[in-house]
Short mmCIF file of all heavy atoms in Angstrom, two decimals:
data_model
loop_
_atom_site.label_atom_id
_atom_site.label_comp_id
_atom_site.label_asym_id
_atom_site.label_seq_id
_atom_site.Cartn_x
_atom_site.Cartn_y
_atom_site.Cartn_z
N THR O 60 0.81 -1.22 0.00
CA THR O 60 0.00 0.00 0.00
C THR O 60 0.84 1.27 0.00
O THR O 60 0.38 2.31 -0.49
CB THR O 60 -0.95 0.02 1.21
OG1 THR O 60 -0.17 -0.04 2.43
CG2 THR O 60 -1.90 -1.16 1.17
N ARG O 61 2.06 1.22 0.51
CA ARG O 61 2.87 2.45 0.57
C ARG O 61 3.19 2.99 -0.82
O ARG O 61 3.47 4.18 -0.98
CB ARG O 61 4.16 2.19 1.35
CG ARG O 61 5.20 1.32 0.63
CD ARG O 61 6.37 0.99 1.54
NE ARG O 61 7.42 0.24 0.86
CZ ARG O 61 8.51 0.79 0.36
NH1 ARG O 61 8.69 2.11 0.42
NH2 ARG O 61 9.43 0.04 -0.23
N HIS O 62 3.12 2.14 -1.83
CA HIS O 62 3.46 2.58 -3.18
C HIS O 62 2.27 3.19 -3.92
O HIS O 62 2.48 3.78 -4.99
CB HIS O 62 3.97 1.40 -4.00
CG HIS O 62 5.23 0.78 -3.47
ND1 HIS O 62 6.40 1.50 -3.33
CD2 HIS O 62 5.50 -0.48 -3.04
CE1 HIS O 62 7.34 0.70 -2.84
NE2 HIS O 62 6.83 -0.49 -2.66
N VAL O 63 1.06 3.03 -3.41
CA VAL O 63 -0.12 3.41 -4.20
C VAL O 63 -0.86 4.61 -3.61
O VAL O 63 -1.99 4.89 -4.01
CB VAL O 63 -1.08 2.21 -4.36
CG1 VAL O 63 -0.33 1.03 -4.96
CG2 VAL O 63 -1.72 1.80 -3.04
N LEU O 64 -0.23 5.32 -2.68
CA LEU O 64 -0.90 6.44 -2.04
C LEU O 64 -1.29 7.53 -3.04
O LEU O 64 -2.27 8.25 -2.85
CB LEU O 64 0.00 7.04 -0.95
CG LEU O 64 0.38 6.10 0.20
CD1 LEU O 64 1.28 6.84 1.19
CD2 LEU O 64 -0.84 5.55 0.90
N GLY O 65 -0.53 7.67 -4.12
CA GLY O 65 -0.79 8.74 -5.08
C GLY O 65 -1.74 8.38 -6.20
O GLY O 65 -1.95 9.19 -7.11
N LEU O 66 -2.35 7.20 -6.16
CA LEU O 66 -3.18 6.75 -7.28
C LEU O 66 -4.33 7.71 -7.57
O LEU O 66 -4.67 7.95 -8.73
CB LEU O 66 -3.74 5.35 -6.98
CG LEU O 66 -4.73 4.78 -8.00
CD1 LEU O 66 -4.10 4.69 -9.39
CD2 LEU O 66 -5.22 3.40 -7.55
N PHE O 67 -4.94 8.27 -6.54
CA PHE O 67 -6.11 9.14 -6.74
C PHE O 67 -5.77 10.62 -6.56
O PHE O 67 -6.68 11.44 -6.38
CB PHE O 67 -7.23 8.74 -5.77
CG PHE O 67 -7.91 7.45 -6.15
CD1 PHE O 67 -7.47 6.25 -5.61
CD2 PHE O 67 -8.97 7.44 -7.04
CE1 PHE O 67 -8.09 5.06 -5.96
CE2 PHE O 67 -9.59 6.25 -7.39
CZ PHE O 67 -9.15 5.05 -6.85
N ASN O 68 -4.52 10.98 -6.62
CA ASN O 68 -4.14 12.39 -6.46
C ASN O 68 -4.96 13.27 -7.41
O ASN O 68 -5.10 12.98 -8.59
CB ASN O 68 -2.66 12.59 -6.75
CG ASN O 68 -1.78 12.16 -5.60
OD1 ASN O 68 -2.26 11.76 -4.55
ND2 ASN O 68 -0.47 12.23 -5.79
N GLY O 69 -5.50 14.37 -6.84
CA GLY O 69 -6.27 15.30 -7.64
C GLY O 69 -7.72 14.91 -7.83
O GLY O 69 -8.48 15.65 -8.47
N GLN O 70 -8.13 13.76 -7.27
CA GLN O 70 -9.51 13.30 -7.41
C GLN O 70 -10.27 13.49 -6.10
O GLN O 70 -9.67 13.52 -5.02
CB GLN O 70 -9.52 11.82 -7.78
CG GLN O 70 -8.78 11.48 -9.06
CD GLN O 70 -9.37 12.18 -10.26
OE1 GLN O 70 -10.54 12.00 -10.60
NE2 GLN O 70 -8.56 13.01 -10.92
N PRO O 71 -11.61 13.63 -6.17
CA PRO O 71 -12.39 13.73 -4.93
C PRO O 71 -12.15 12.50 -4.06
O PRO O 71 -12.19 11.37 -4.54
CB PRO O 71 -13.84 13.78 -5.43
CG PRO O 71 -13.74 14.29 -6.84
CD PRO O 71 -12.45 13.75 -7.39
N GLY O 72 -11.91 12.72 -2.79
CA GLY O 72 -11.70 11.61 -1.87
C GLY O 72 -10.26 11.15 -1.77
O GLY O 72 -9.97 10.21 -1.02
N ALA O 73 -9.33 11.79 -2.50
CA ALA O 73 -7.94 11.33 -2.50
C ALA O 73 -7.33 11.39 -1.11
O ALA O 73 -6.55 10.50 -0.73
CB ALA O 73 -7.12 12.18 -3.47
N ARG O 74 -7.69 12.39 -0.36
CA ARG O 74 -7.13 12.50 0.99
C ARG O 74 -7.60 11.34 1.86
O ARG O 74 -6.80 10.79 2.63
CB ARG O 74 -7.54 13.83 1.62
CG ARG O 74 -6.94 14.07 2.99
CD ARG O 74 -7.36 15.41 3.54
NE ARG O 74 -6.81 15.65 4.86
CZ ARG O 74 -7.11 16.70 5.61
NH1 ARG O 74 -7.94 17.64 5.14
NH2 ARG O 74 -6.58 16.84 6.80
N ARG O 75 -8.86 10.96 1.75
CA ARG O 75 -9.35 9.84 2.56
C ARG O 75 -8.69 8.53 2.13
O ARG O 75 -8.41 7.66 2.96
CB ARG O 75 -10.87 9.74 2.44
CG ARG O 75 -11.60 10.90 3.12
CD ARG O 75 -13.09 10.69 3.16
NE ARG O 75 -13.70 10.78 1.83
CZ ARG O 75 -14.09 11.91 1.27
NH1 ARG O 75 -13.92 13.06 1.91
NH2 ARG O 75 -14.64 11.92 0.08
N TRP O 76 -8.44 8.37 0.82
CA TRP O 76 -7.72 7.19 0.32
C TRP O 76 -6.35 7.09 0.99
O TRP O 76 -5.97 6.03 1.50
CB TRP O 76 -7.60 7.30 -1.20
CG TRP O 76 -6.61 6.39 -1.87
CD1 TRP O 76 -5.31 6.68 -2.18
CD2 TRP O 76 -6.84 5.05 -2.33
NE1 TRP O 76 -4.73 5.61 -2.81
CE2 TRP O 76 -5.64 4.60 -2.91
CE3 TRP O 76 -7.94 4.19 -2.31
CZ2 TRP O 76 -5.50 3.33 -3.48
CZ3 TRP O 76 -7.81 2.93 -2.87
CH2 TRP O 76 -6.60 2.50 -3.44
N ARG O 77 -5.61 8.19 1.01
CA ARG O 77 -4.28 8.18 1.61
C ARG O 77 -4.35 7.95 3.12
O ARG O 77 -3.51 7.23 3.68
CB ARG O 77 -3.56 9.51 1.32
CG ARG O 77 -3.23 9.74 -0.16
CD ARG O 77 -2.30 10.91 -0.34
NE ARG O 77 -2.87 12.16 0.11
CZ ARG O 77 -3.58 12.99 -0.65
NH1 ARG O 77 -3.80 12.68 -1.92
NH2 ARG O 77 -4.06 14.11 -0.16
N GLN O 78 -5.34 8.55 3.76
CA GLN O 78 -5.45 8.40 5.22
C GLN O 78 -5.69 6.95 5.61
O GLN O 78 -5.06 6.43 6.54
CB GLN O 78 -6.59 9.29 5.75
CG GLN O 78 -6.26 10.77 5.76
CD GLN O 78 -7.46 11.61 6.15
OE1 GLN O 78 -8.62 11.21 5.99
NE2 GLN O 78 -7.20 12.80 6.68
N VAL O 79 -6.58 6.28 4.92
CA VAL O 79 -6.88 4.89 5.26
C VAL O 79 -5.67 4.01 5.03
O VAL O 79 -5.30 3.18 5.87
CB VAL O 79 -8.10 4.38 4.45
CG1 VAL O 79 -8.30 2.89 4.65
CG2 VAL O 79 -9.37 5.14 4.87
N LEU O 80 -5.02 4.19 3.88
CA LEU O 80 -3.88 3.33 3.55
C LEU O 80 -2.65 3.63 4.40
O LEU O 80 -1.71 2.82 4.43
CB LEU O 80 -3.52 3.46 2.07
CG LEU O 80 -4.58 2.97 1.08
CD1 LEU O 80 -4.04 3.05 -0.35
CD2 LEU O 80 -5.04 1.56 1.39
N SER O 81 -2.65 4.77 5.09
CA SER O 81 -1.51 5.12 5.94
C SER O 81 -1.78 4.85 7.42
O SER O 81 -0.89 5.06 8.25
CB SER O 81 -1.17 6.62 5.77
OG SER O 81 -0.88 6.92 4.43
N ASP O 82 -2.97 4.39 7.74
CA ASP O 82 -3.36 4.15 9.13
C ASP O 82 -2.85 2.78 9.57
O ASP O 82 -3.39 1.74 9.16
CB ASP O 82 -4.88 4.24 9.25
CG ASP O 82 -5.37 4.21 10.69
OD1 ASP O 82 -4.76 3.50 11.51
OD2 ASP O 82 -6.37 4.88 10.99
N ALA O 83 -1.84 2.77 10.43
CA ALA O 83 -1.21 1.50 10.83
C ALA O 83 -2.20 0.57 11.52
O ALA O 83 -2.18 -0.65 11.28
CB ALA O 83 -0.03 1.79 11.76
N ARG O 84 -3.07 1.12 12.36
CA ARG O 84 -4.02 0.26 13.07
C ARG O 84 -5.03 -0.37 12.11
O ARG O 84 -5.39 -1.55 12.24
CB ARG O 84 -4.74 1.06 14.16
CG ARG O 84 -3.87 1.34 15.38
CD ARG O 84 -4.63 2.08 16.46
NE ARG O 84 -5.06 3.39 16.00
CZ ARG O 84 -5.74 4.26 16.76
NH1 ARG O 84 -6.09 3.93 17.98
NH2 ARG O 84 -6.09 5.45 16.29
N ARG O 85 -5.49 0.41 11.15
CA ARG O 85 -6.44 -0.15 10.17
C ARG O 85 -5.75 -1.18 9.30
O ARG O 85 -6.36 -2.19 8.92
CB ARG O 85 -7.06 0.97 9.33
CG ARG O 85 -7.93 1.90 10.13
CD ARG O 85 -8.53 3.01 9.29
NE ARG O 85 -9.68 2.55 8.52
CZ ARG O 85 -10.59 3.38 8.01
NH1 ARG O 85 -10.48 4.68 8.21
NH2 ARG O 85 -11.60 2.92 7.31
N LEU O 86 -4.50 -0.93 8.95
CA LEU O 86 -3.76 -1.90 8.15
C LEU O 86 -3.65 -3.23 8.90
O LEU O 86 -3.81 -4.31 8.31
CB LEU O 86 -2.38 -1.37 7.82
CG LEU O 86 -2.28 -0.37 6.66
CD1 LEU O 86 -0.92 0.29 6.65
CD2 LEU O 86 -2.53 -1.06 5.33
N ASP O 87 -3.38 -3.15 10.20
CA ASP O 87 -3.24 -4.38 10.99
C ASP O 87 -4.56 -5.12 11.10
O ASP O 87 -4.61 -6.35 11.05
CB ASP O 87 -2.72 -4.04 12.39
CG ASP O 87 -1.27 -3.60 12.37
OD1 ASP O 87 -0.57 -3.90 11.38
OD2 ASP O 87 -0.84 -2.93 13.34
N SER O 88 -5.67 -4.38 11.26
CA SER O 88 -6.96 -5.04 11.47
C SER O 88 -7.61 -5.49 10.17
O SER O 88 -8.20 -6.57 10.09
CB SER O 88 -7.91 -4.10 12.23
OG SER O 88 -8.15 -2.92 11.47
N ALA O 89 -7.49 -4.67 9.12
CA ALA O 89 -8.17 -4.99 7.86
C ALA O 89 -7.36 -5.93 6.99
O ALA O 89 -7.91 -6.69 6.20
CB ALA O 89 -8.48 -3.71 7.09
#
């Protein structure tokens, strides 16, 4: 996931995409 943070750059919701993929606790649980 660390490589794909920029996939939605410039698109609506891009910040939420990056936040979820950067959340260590969510990564561990999901």
Side-chain angles (χ1 to χ4, degrees):
T60 60
R61 72 186 184 98
H62 298 300
V63 305
L64 299 180
L66 175 59
F67 287 93
N68 282 357
Q70 302 299 300
R74 183 179 179 185
R75 291 188 291 273
W76 165 266
R77 293 191 298 270
Q78 287 174 336
V79 172
L80 295 185
S81 302
D82 189 324
R84 286 183 296 181
R85 294 179 79 161
L86 280 168
D87 289 340
S88 61

